[in-house]
Amino acid sequence: MQELTTLALESGQPGYRGRQLFDAVYRQKTGRLEQISTLPLAYRARLAEQGWEVGFPKIARKFVSNDGTIRYLVELSDGETVETVWMPEGDGGETDDGSEAGDEVEAEPTPERVVAGLRPAGRGRAPSPHGRRATICVSSQVGCAVNCKFCFTALLGIKRNLEAGEIVGQIAAVLRDQEVEPPLQRVNIVFMGMGEPFLNYEHFMKSVRLLVEEWGFRSRG
């Protein structure tokens, strides 16, 4: 929130424009700058000139397992990719025939570049039954520096930390694909994807505050 307020002030706008921009992106989930009607037209044009956009990270590929688990390969604005996983509650366990790795399905077109937030809309999968719990496993880094011997991500090494918007963006992209809107349906978030969140503590904690304070996730299950 403070970053958006600073952005507004640096553009000669009053500080409350930062709150308006924040609400449009994170609460109303507005898809394009020109749709943020609370901002003056001139300021929207100024943000576009500066290269700012709002939208989801791109889902480059996704793999669907027999038990309903879906692995998403999420592409970031610089072309790097991370993995995010949707795990529905109540599955019957994975089979042992190799199909647990999941079949690749075609990902729907999504924006190529994401700078400042979330892009809603678009057709997704059938929504989960109301009231059932699901879990999203989120990445916090591109690669990982911990080098756990059992983890394939360790082979990648560490490339960079994810920013808070990129962490929240993963969750937004998956929720859109699943047609789920928290807190109407119960969703757990676990930071057990690529990377070690405590090695990216500042952005990790910022993403948690965004999810809990501004987006309605509960801090406890």
Side-chain angles (χ1 to χ4, degrees):
M1 178 62 201
Q2 183 58 47
E3 290 92 336
L4 294 179
T5 300
T6 300
L7 178 67
L9 293 172
E10 289 177 346
S11 299
Q13 297 290 320
Y16 66 80
R17 297 294 185 204
R19 167 54 69 179
Q20 291 175 322
L21 182 57
F22 185 95
D23 288 343
V25 171
Y26 286 101
R27 291 182 175 170
Q28 301 171 31
K29 303 180 184 66
T30 304
R32 297 191 302 273
L33 277 173
E34 58 266 28
Q35 295 177 331
I36 307 179
S37 58
T38 54
L39 298 181
L41 182 61
Y43 183 41
R44 282 177 271 168
R46 176 63 173 163
L47 288 172
E49 291 173 1
Q50 293 174 337
W52 291 101
E53 297 178 1
V54 296
F56 286 125
K58 176 182 177 181
I59 295 177
R61 302 170 72 182
K62 63 180 181 180
F63 302 85
V64 181
S65 175
N66 285 349
D67 65 1
T69 298
I70 303 177
R71 295 189 297 115
Y72 293 88
L73 187 67
V74 177
E75 184 176 327
L76 307 173
S77 61
D78 60 358
E80 296 289 356
T81 57
V82 294
E83 189 171 272
T84 312
V85 183
W86 168 268
M87 297 175 287
E89 182 188 50
D91 62 78
E94 295 181 333
T95 62
D96 194 29
D97 60 0
S99 62
E100 59 268 27
D103 297 322
E104 183 177 1
V105 298
E106 183 177 353
E108 296 181 16
T110 51
E112 292 293 333
R113 192 164 77 91
V114 177
V115 177
L118 316 177
R119 187 185 302 276
R123 184 171 46 82
R125 296 175 58 84
S128 301
H130 180 71
R132 294 184 64 186
R133 183 187 295 273
T135 298
I136 301 177
C137 182
V138 185
S139 294
S140 56
Q141 296 178 304
V142 181
C144 187
V146 178
N147 198 30
C148 298
K149 300 305 180 184
F150 58 83
C151 182
F152 181 77
T153 304
L155 300 178
L156 302 176
I158 181 66
K159 294 188 176 180
R160 69 173 178 86
N161 289 331
L162 296 185
E163 296 182 359
E166 293 174 317
I167 295 172
V168 176
Q170 294 173 69
I171 299 167
V174 170
L175 290 177
R176 182 188 67 173
D177 190 65
Q178 293 294 323
E179 296 184 352
V180 173
E181 180 68 20
L184 300 181
Q185 293 172 295
R186 301 185 69 186
V187 177
N188 287 330
I189 305 297
V190 294
F191 288 81
M192 297 176 65
M194 294 172 61
E196 167 50 57
F198 286 129
L199 295 181
N200 185 18
Y201 188 78
E202 178 183 356
H203 292 293
F204 161 60
M205 289 303 300
K206 186 183 296 185
S207 70
V208 170
R209 286 192 293 270
L210 280 171
L211 292 168
V212 173
E213 297 174 6
E214 303 292 349
W215 213 8
F217 279 91
R218 293 186 296 178
S219 58
R220 294 172 181 259

